[in-house]
Amino acid sequence: MENFTKTPRLLASTEDTYSCTIAESRIRESNLKDGTEELETVAAKIENAEDLEVNYFKSAQWTPDGTTLLTSSADNTIRTFILPPTLLESSSSQILTPYTTHTLPTPINCLTPYPYFNLSDPSTTLYLSTPSNLPIRLLNALNPLSAPLATYNLISPTTEAYYTPSSLLWSSQNHFLAGTDCLIALFDVSRSGQGPVTRLPTIPSKRHKMKGGGVGMRGIVSAMSQQPSSSAEDADSDVGMLAAGTWTRWVGLYDMGGLGGTVATWSVAGAADVDARIGGTGVTETKWSACGRYLFVVERKSKGVLVYDVRVTGKLVCWLVGRDADTNQRLGVDLFPGENGTEVWAGCADGVVKVWEGVGMTEGPLERSWEWRAHDDPVSSTIVHSSGTVVATCSGQRSSPAIGNSSGGSEDSDEYSSEEDSEDSEDSGSISTRSSSLSFRIPDNSIKVWSL
C-alpha cells in the first residue's frame, strides 16, 4: 500500500489559550471571552498545587448532531465548543472559544453526550460525566452553570464508597451503562439520586480466590461499545451485542446490548504480544465497524490496533502497525466507513495523526496509508465528523512546567486492576521522557479542526 503524507487544511483552533498552566489558562480564557487585556496576575489564580500543572486536553467528542465539541481537560473542566456554521467557508483559521465551561470538584474519568443531542432543542443537549469518587452527573451542555440536572449513585455494597466508572455508554434513549470493577451497571435516567436498576457482574463472584473461578473476565471495565443494530443476528432484535474491555486485557461480548447472556470472553494478551507483537497493557477502547462484523480493540502502551471478526469468537483478522502510543495516557482512535473498507484514525504520542484505509479487506499486518503532524504533543483524541470531510484533534500531556519533567512517566504500576482507578493511572502515567525539556518549551495543549 502506498504510504505518503497529506496536509489537511486547518479551519479553527484554540491556539495558545490553554498551552500554559491551569492558573494562566483561566486568565487567557477569561480575557478571550471578554475581549480584554490581561489584568490579573497568574499568582492570583493559583488555588492549589495542581494549578501549576499544564492544562492539557484529555479527550474530545463530537455531539451526535455534529455541531459541537465536548472536551475534558486537566483542570477538571468540561468545555462546550459550538462550531460556526460558516467554518468551511472561511479562508483563514478561526479561534475557538468555549460556549460554556463546567468545572467539577474532582478529576473527570469519562463523559459521553446524549445520543439524541440536537443543538436546536435545548432539552436534548445533555451529557453524562463521571467525577472521581462522586455520583455520575447528567448536565446540560448549554447551561452556563455546572449544576447537574440529575445524579446517579454507583456505590460499593460492602464499603459504601463511590465507584468511579471508567467507561460510559448510552444503551438507549432512557438508559445508560457504566463500567467499573468486575461490573457493568444499567441506569434509568429518570431515576435521579438512585442506583442502578440492574447490576451485570462480569465474573460470578469476587470472593473466590481466583476472582470468579476462572469464569468471565476480571478487572475494571475500561471500555464499552454497542454493535450497530442493523447487524444484529436476530432479525427480531434492534439491539446488537455489547463489547466490553478491561484494564486486565480481556474482552467480553454480551447479548442484547449487555442485558442478555455472555456470548464470549477472551484475553487479547496473546494476540497483541505474540501474534501481532504490538504490545499493550490494558484496553482503552472497543469499536465496531459500520457493518458490525469487525471489532477493533485499542490498548494503551501499544504500537497498533487489533481487529477481530466477531462471527468467529476470538478470530484475529488483522492488526494495524506503526501506531506510536507507548504511554499510559489514553490516545483515542476513531473509525469511519470509507469507500474501500473501514478507515481508522489514530493520534500518536509524537503529535502525528495516522490513517489506515481499507481495514478488513486483507489479513495480517497493515501499515498506515498516510499521516500528518497535527500537534507538537501527544494527540489525545482524533475524531472524524459524520460527514467525513472534517476531523477534530486535541492534544497535551500531564506535566509540571515548574519542574520541567512529566509527572508520571515512570508510573507503570498495575493500579488499573484495582478498585481505585482514579484517573485510571492513565493520566498519572501520561508520557515518558519526551517531556524532559518541557520547562524550556511551550506545551501544545490545543484543539484543532481540520478540513480534509
Side-chain angles (χ1 to χ4, degrees):
M1 182 175 291
E2 184 180 3
N3 295 328
F4 58 96
T5 299
K6 295 182 182 179
T7 306
R9 181 169 69 93
L10 182 63
L11 299 174
S13 75
T14 55
E15 296 190 340
D16 63 350
T17 305
Y18 307 98
S19 297
C20 54
T21 63
I22 292 174
E24 187 173 349
S25 69
R26 292 193 185 110
I27 298 174
R28 294 185 183 183
E29 186 177 67
S30 176
N31 292 336
L32 191 61
K33 288 182 177 180
D34 301 337
T36 59
E37 294 296 326
E38 210 170 290
L39 299 176
E40 294 181 273
T41 63
V42 174
K45 285 291 185 179
I46 297 177
E47 298 174 0
N48 50 55
E50 286 74 19
D51 289 347
L52 295 176
E53 294 185 358
V54 296
N55 197 12
Y56 66 97
F57 283 96
K58 297 163 64 176
S59 68
Q61 297 182 48
W62 286 109
T63 55
D65 65 349
T67 62
T68 307
L69 287 170
L70 286 179
T71 68
S72 173
S73 302
D75 58 354
N76 305 340
T77 299
I78 296 171
R79 292 175 170 84
T80 302
F81 293 88
I82 300 176
L83 302 187
T86 58
L87 187 64
L88 290 173
E89 302 170 6
S90 176
S91 59
S92 59
S93 176
Q94 301 185 35
I95 300 178
L96 294 175
T97 56
Y99 183 79
T100 58
T101 56
H102 294 164
T103 301
L104 277 62
T106 58
I108 303 158
N109 248 18
C110 45
L111 74 154
T112 182
Y114 185 54
Y116 298 94
F117 189 109
N118 185 350
L119 193 62
S120 61
D121 183 1
S123 66
T124 65
T125 55
L126 310 173
Y127 70 87
L128 289 167
S129 64
T130 59
S132 298
N133 303 315
L134 290 172
I136 302 168
R137 298 186 175 201
L138 179 69
L139 299 97
N140 193 312
L142 303 185
N143 189 344
L145 303 178
S146 302
L149 300 175
T151 59
Y152 309 95
N153 301 325
L154 186 55
I155 300 175
S156 168
T158 54
T159 65
E160 297 188 352
Y162 283 110
Y163 284 133
T164 300
S166 291
S167 54
L168 283 174
L169 176 69
W170 287 94
S171 57
S172 69
Q173 183 175 359
N174 300 311
H175 296 86
F176 68 89
L177 298 169
T180 185
D181 188 24
C182 303
L183 177 69
I184 299 173
L186 175 70
F187 289 86
D188 185 332
V189 292
S190 65
R191 299 177 59 177
S192 177
Q194 300 185 37
V197 293
T198 305
R199 290 175 178 259
L200 310 166
T202 60
I203 56 174
S205 173
K206 291 179 65 176
R207 297 177 61 87
H208 195 283
K209 65 180 180 179
M210 290 180 61
K211 290 278 188 171
V215 179
M217 62 176 190
R218 178 184 65 85
I220 291 173
V221 180
S222 53
M224 291 188 294
S225 61
Q226 191 163 301
Q227 185 182 33
S229 56
S230 60
S231 61
E233 292 184 4
D234 185 355
D236 297 328
S237 172
D238 60 352
V239 179
M241 291 186 292
L242 172 73
T246 68
W247 289 133
T248 53
R249 310 186 72 186
W250 278 73
V251 170
L253 298 179
Y254 301 91
D255 206 4
M256 293 293 293
L259 301 181
T262 301
V263 176
T265 59
W266 71 92
S267 172
V268 300
D273 298 342
V274 179
D275 298 334
R277 296 184 179 180
I278 60 175
T281 60
V283 179
T284 57
E285 285 184 287
T286 59
K287 287 184 172 291
W288 293 91
S289 62
C291 63
R293 296 177 182 174
Y294 302 111
L295 177 66
F296 295 72
V297 179
V298 184
E299 290 193 272
R300 58 184 178 184
K301 296 187 77 68
S302 170
K303 295 180 289 185
V305 177
L306 300 175
V307 185
Y308 287 92
D309 187 340
V310 297
R311 295 171 296 180
V312 182
T313 302
K315 175 178 172 54
L316 184 64
V317 176
C318 64
W319 56 91
L320 314 184
V321 298
R323 173 177 174 253
D324 179 13
D326 188 17
T327 168
N328 278 337
Q329 183 179 358
R330 288 200 197 214
L331 301 184
V333 170
D334 200 10
L335 309 184
F336 186 78
E339 295 180 357
N340 301 312
T342 302
E343 296 177 4
V344 179
W345 297 65
C348 301
D350 57 1
V352 172
V353 174
K354 296 186 178 182
V355 183
W356 290 260
E357 297 175 341
V359 179
M361 307 300 290
T362 59
E363 296 186 359
L366 182 63
E367 295 281 352
R368 62 99 173 93
S369 303
W370 59 279
E371 65 181 40
W372 91 94
R373 176 167 291 281
H375 296 271
D376 294 325
D377 269 313
V379 183
S380 50
S381 287
T382 304
I383 45 176
V384 185
H385 191 270
S386 57
S387 65
T389 60
V390 174
V391 62
T393 59
C394 68
S395 65
Q397 59 181 313
R398 185 177 184 180
S399 53
S400 299
I403 298 174
N405 292 320
S406 175
S407 60
S410 62
E411 190 169 319
D412 288 325
S413 65
D414 290 331
E415 289 291 327
Y416 49 82
S417 62
S418 68
E419 275 186 23
E420 299 188 5
D421 184 42
S422 81
E423 287 301 77
D424 303 326
S425 71
E426 64 201 46
D427 297 320
S428 56
S430 301
I431 204 71
S432 54
T433 55
R434 290 186 179 89
S435 304
S436 59
S437 60
L438 196 57
S439 60
F440 305 106
R441 70 174 182 86
I442 298 174
D444 182 4
N445 307 323
S446 62
I447 300 171
K448 294 182 179 180
V449 181
W450 310 82
S451 174
L452 302 176

